[in-house]
Amino acid sequence: MKAARTRRARALALPAAQRQALALGALKSWSSHIFLASLFWGLWLLPFGGRVWRTRAIPRVPGALLMVGGVGAVLSVFGELLIRGYATTLLSDYATLPASLGEIGSGL
């Protein structure tokens, strides 16, 4: 409990502008990490979709959707990196939709 009070006292010792700058830096760092993680989430869907496709324990449609969604997720990451205004394009709205449908289908 004493450590929490000490951290709070140290934080309040900083000027408000510096606290806000530190908070903004933390948010930007978090955003960068999520962006990098989304690349690996998309890459993971490719082998997962291949396994679902080959297993025949469930229909092949979820496997195909997972693979298409994995490609869409990777394209979405590189689109954000390379294309200015990518977030406002129609492709960005629908690129990961097949992955979502495939993940729901594989959970059934």
Side-chain angles (χ1 to χ4, degrees):
M1 193 71 172
K2 184 178 178 182
R5 283 190 298 229
T6 306
R7 281 192 300 251
R8 179 171 165 77
R10 272 189 275 158
L12 291 176
L14 296 173
Q18 191 173 1
R19 285 194 311 258
Q20 290 174 354
L22 286 171
L24 183 61
L27 286 173
K28 285 183 178 180
S29 173
W30 176 82
S31 176
S32 298
H33 287 95
I34 292 296
F35 186 72
L36 180 62
S38 65
L39 173 66
F40 290 105
W41 288 331
L43 290 173
W44 154 246
L45 291 175
L46 297 172
F48 180 45
R51 295 285 180 174
V52 170
W53 178 271
R54 284 188 281 163
T55 186
R56 297 188 188 216
I58 58 176
R60 289 185 164 191
V61 172
L65 288 172
L66 286 167
M67 288 186 284
V68 170
V71 170
V74 172
L75 285 175
S76 190
V77 167
F78 284 108
E80 282 286 331
L81 280 175
L82 302 174
I83 301 171
R84 186 179 306 256
Y86 174 78
T88 60
T89 63
L90 190 61
L91 178 63
S92 71
D93 294 336
Y94 295 106
T96 58
L97 183 65
S100 302
L101 296 174
E103 287 176 357
I104 291 169
S106 67
L108 298 177

